Amino acid sequence: MAEEVKLFGFWSSPFSRRVEIALKMKGVKYEYIEEDLTNKSPLLLKYNPVHKKIPVLVHNGNPIVESLVIIEYIDETWKHNPILPQHPYDRALVRFWAKFIDEKWPALRNSTFGKGKEREVAIGEACEHLKTLENELGDKKFFGGEDIGLVHIVANILGIWFGVYQEISGLELLTEEKFPKLCKWIHECVNHTAIKEDIPPRDKLIEFYPARLRAASK
Amino acid sequence: MAEEVKLFGFWSSPFSRRVEIALKMKGVKYEYIEEDLTNKSPLLLKYNPVHKKIPVLVHNGNPIVESLVIIEYIDETWKHNPILPQHPYDRALVRFWAKFIDEKWPALRNSTFGKGKEREVAIGEACEHLKTLENELGDKKFFGGEDIGLVHIVANILGIWFGVYQEISGLELLTEEKFPKLCKWIHECVNHTAIKEDIPPRDKLIEFYPARLRAASK
């Protein structure tokens, strides 16, 4: 039986894009279904009734949701070109850092798009989180293992999306001056051949987010 | 070389207890180190500099933190008596539900210990989360697979801790009348031989939490 792989996503979502990167690293062919997030399809709601969100991967009729859960599924289902390292301790480390970046993302986002006091608090928190990453990175070339993998895929959210949010909001937090190692590492991540082609054009994102924010504040 | 396995924990922590359950399911011998959370040890801060929290598992000198990451590490290191199922799709499902319970825990906790408006909002959210679990459970005997595993270990936080918090706060939300299937399942979980002996005595928890809350509000 031919495999059926479908991805319900949205072009500007970092969570949707990371699943696409994982599928392409494995060379898995898939059908991509762009969702209208203002009018979600009955299929999306059927496949992800709990969170009603993209991304959803549907493999031979079985839906998998939550981007980190999906990437582990992809790595376990198509075993070539591993995304997670092989040794349990290395696996634990990359799971820890991928989780760390995702858990700290709301503070990073609010440091740019938050309002008033909420934004002020978020800037302080975001700065601490970036310091943690800068310290952890040290002189390693690829944070979370020597080969490109889970943490690099997840780190796009810093390299691309946080950069765009900073530009729109005028915040200057994640700069080469303040976080030289992290900036260098992020630059290498987003320019890696396995990743570069699957991130949306920066100018499209710069155009998209202010309009979305205006719509959300109406 | 003899294996060295150490666990830094705290007796009343559901996150610490779940790691103990996983180690015992595997029959792994370990040294347990009870932390004083009001005066954390230099070793804990050394091993978990990012979050400075228990539980921390140290295996042959390598520290692993975050309870779900630790349990996956345990399952991958000692492969007998598997905690996660074998098939990638089943693994994705248990990872999803374990994450769901952990992510919703703050709302559940705040529905009992929160104050004023925060508590009111949390009660509404907690009710929705419990409904999601009740609906998902359906008529399955063991939610998250037929065998006892990751979701059951994680669900102790509902079966024991949420029950204790409810009793202390006078909230009556997770009751047999409102959530019959979930209550039945939780009862089976916490009474399973693999779990029962590793949960702290209910009367000790009932005594402990109000005192801790009084200390926290001083």
Side-chain angles (χ1 to χ4, degrees), chain B residues 101-114:
Chain B
I101 293 172
D102 272 9
E103 283 178 356
K104 303 313 180 194
W105 177 242
L108 286 156
R109 194 188 48 216
N110 287 340
S111 74
T112 55
F113 287 164

Side-chain angles (χ1 to χ4, degrees), chain A residues 66 76 89 91 95 99, chain B residues 63 66 76 91 95 99:
Chain A
E66 293 272 4
E76 291 175 351
Y89 186 62
R91 294 167 73 82
R95 284 182 180 129
K99 191 170 185 279
Chain B
E66 293 271 8
E76 290 175 351
R91 293 167 74 82
R95 284 183 180 130
K99 191 169 184 281

Side-chain angles (χ1 to χ4, degrees), chain B residues 58-79:
Chain B
V58 184
H59 184 204
N60 295 336
N62 289 326
I64 305 117
V65 302
E66 293 271 8
S67 65
L68 294 184
V69 174
I70 297 174
I71 295 175
E72 292 236 23
Y73 175 83
I74 290 171
D75 205 35
E76 290 175 351
T77 301
W78 296 280
K79 294 187 194 295

Side-chain angles (χ1 to χ4, degrees), chain A residues 48 50-51 61-66 68-69 72-73 76-77 79 86-93 95-97 99-100 103-104 132 136, chain B residues 48 50-51 61-66 68-69 72-73 76-77 79 86-93 95-97 99-100 103-104 132 136:
Chain A
N48 189 0
V50 174
H51 297 312
N62 290 326
I64 305 116
V65 302
E66 293 272 4
L68 294 183
V69 174
E72 292 236 23
Y73 175 82
E76 291 175 351
T77 301
K79 294 188 193 296
Q86 297 306 297
H87 191 278
Y89 186 62
D90 296 330
R91 294 167 73 82
L93 288 180
R95 284 182 180 129
F96 174 84
W97 288 111
K99 191 170 185 279
F100 178 87
E103 284 179 355
K104 304 312 180 195
T132 299
E136 175 62 24
Chain B
N48 188 1
V50 175
H51 297 311
N62 289 326
I64 305 117
V65 302
E66 293 271 8
L68 294 184
V69 174
E72 292 236 23
Y73 175 83
E76 290 175 351
T77 301
K79 294 187 194 295
Q86 297 306 297
H87 190 277
Y89 186 62
D90 296 331
R91 293 167 74 82
L93 288 180
R95 284 183 180 130
F96 174 84
W97 287 110
K99 191 169 184 281
F100 179 87
E103 283 178 356
K104 303 313 180 194
T132 299
E136 175 62 23

Side-chain angles (χ1 to χ4, degrees), chain B residues 144-156:
Chain B
E146 278 308 300
D147 299 318
I148 197 140
L150 183 65
V151 190
H152 313 88
I153 296 177
V154 169
N156 289 327

